[in-house]
Structure formats: structure tokens, C-alpha cells
Amino acid sequence: MITNGVPQSPTVYPLAKTRVWLMLAGSLVFVALGIVFLVAHSTVKMTVAGALAVPFFGLCAVLIVQRLFRGRPELVVDDAGVEHVRLGRFGWGEIAAVRIREQRVRNTSQRFIELVLHDPEAYLARAPRLVRSTASMNARLGFGPANMATNTLPVPPEEIVDAMRRHRPGLAVHH
């Protein structure tokens, strides 16, 4: 937003490194458990669990390490739009609304910010491969393709939505 003829400074959110270090530790614990299951192979279920856990959580650990040492902000909100490290850049004209969503699985929940897009297909055509590969699963769950996890951000999602509204007054927020 331009205030008194002066553009507003971007709002920059760095990676919440403490949380991400804990995610790395958790991934490494599951890699170690998977190795134990593979070495012990006392049952077929344990062997299969180990065979699945080691590559999956190993890949998670590699991706987390890359994120920790990347040095880029996790999210930047400015007068032109939003740039998320995983989702890419969105101009305000692409965003119809934002909303804070919550996905509950058993005893835990994951909060995230969904960017409701005017043309999701246009975004998917340019989206990173990981986003394209998860888009159909998100659609089956009732979500759009542009979802920002909040567990890697240093502030609650409400603060991010407030920053979005400072940069884009009149931005629709769905509840």
C-alpha cells in the first residue's frame, strides 16, 4: 500500500529455525528407528516399516537441511503481492481471498494459510513440481493448490493475514 505517496516496506518473515531444527531432529529419529527395524527384521511389518521410514524420513531430513542453510526468507509480503519460498510469487490480482485453515489428524492439527486464487489452473501451470503433485490430493480434501504451512513461520497465521491486509487493504479474508 502506498501511504502519503510512499510505498510501504516489505514485511519479511524468516524461517522459524528452532522449529525447523526440531523437525530435523524428529526426521533423524525416524530414520534411526527405521534402520533399527531393518536390522532387527523380527517381523515382516517391522521390515516394511523400516524400508519405508528410512528413505521417506531421510528425504525429509535432506530437504530440511537445505531449508535451514538456504538463507532466504520464508515469506515476503509487499505492495505487489506475496512470495512464499515453496509456493512462489503471487500478485495481489491473482488472490481472490485468504483464509486460515486447520487440518486435524487424530490428536494433532496443522494450521496453514490458504490463498484462494482467481485462476488456480493458471497458477498450477507455473507452480513448483511439489505443489503440482499435491494439488489433486489437496482438492480431494477441499483445499486449493496454494497453502502455506505456518509451522515454519515465526509468527501466528493471524499476524501474517494482518500484514497482508496492511499491504492490500480490502483483501477478502474468509473464515
Side-chain angles (χ1 to χ4, degrees):
M1 179 175 98
I2 297 178
T3 308
N4 297 327
V6 178
Q8 196 174 71
S9 297
T11 305
V12 179
Y13 298 98
L15 181 68
K17 287 194 175 188
T18 301
R19 290 183 197 161
V20 177
W21 278 107
L22 291 171
M23 290 166 61
L24 176 61
S27 291
L28 294 174
V29 165
F30 281 109
V31 167
L33 283 172
I35 291 170
V36 168
F37 286 175
L38 283 172
V39 171
H41 56 251
S42 59
T43 67
V44 172
K45 284 183 181 179
M46 284 180 70
T47 303
V48 169
L52 294 173
V54 171
F56 176 77
F57 288 105
L59 177 62
C60 289
V62 168
L63 295 174
I64 291 169
V65 167
Q66 287 175 341
R67 215 164 180 171
L68 281 166
F69 295 106
R70 177 187 57 242
R72 288 179 46 204
E74 193 73 2
L75 177 66
V76 177
V77 181
D78 59 28
D79 293 348
V82 176
E83 184 169 358
H84 186 266
V85 71
R86 189 179 61 80
L87 299 176
R89 181 90 185 154
F90 299 89
W92 288 119
E94 296 177 78
I95 301 171
V98 297
R99 66 177 145 213
I100 298 171
R101 304 280 303 258
E102 186 171 356
Q103 178 66 38
R104 296 193 61 76
V105 177
R106 294 192 181 124
N107 296 336
T108 186
S109 65
Q110 170 71 36
R111 295 178 76 200
F112 57 94
I113 299 171
E114 180 180 12
L115 301 179
V116 181
L117 304 176
H118 289 292
D119 188 354
E121 295 305 317
Y123 168 64
L124 285 172
R126 72 169 203 273
R129 187 178 339 159
L130 181 60
V131 173
R132 288 192 311 266
S133 67
T134 59
S136 61
M137 178 182 61
N138 283 340
R140 283 193 301 274
L141 294 171
F143 305 125
N147 301 295
M148 291 184 270
T150 59
N151 60 345
T152 59
L153 293 165
V155 297
E158 292 82 7
E159 281 189 43
I160 294 165
V161 170
D162 288 345
M164 290 177 174
R165 292 184 89 176
R166 278 193 308 275
H167 287 279
R168 181 67 169 190
L171 175 66
V173 178
H174 295 168
H175 298 284

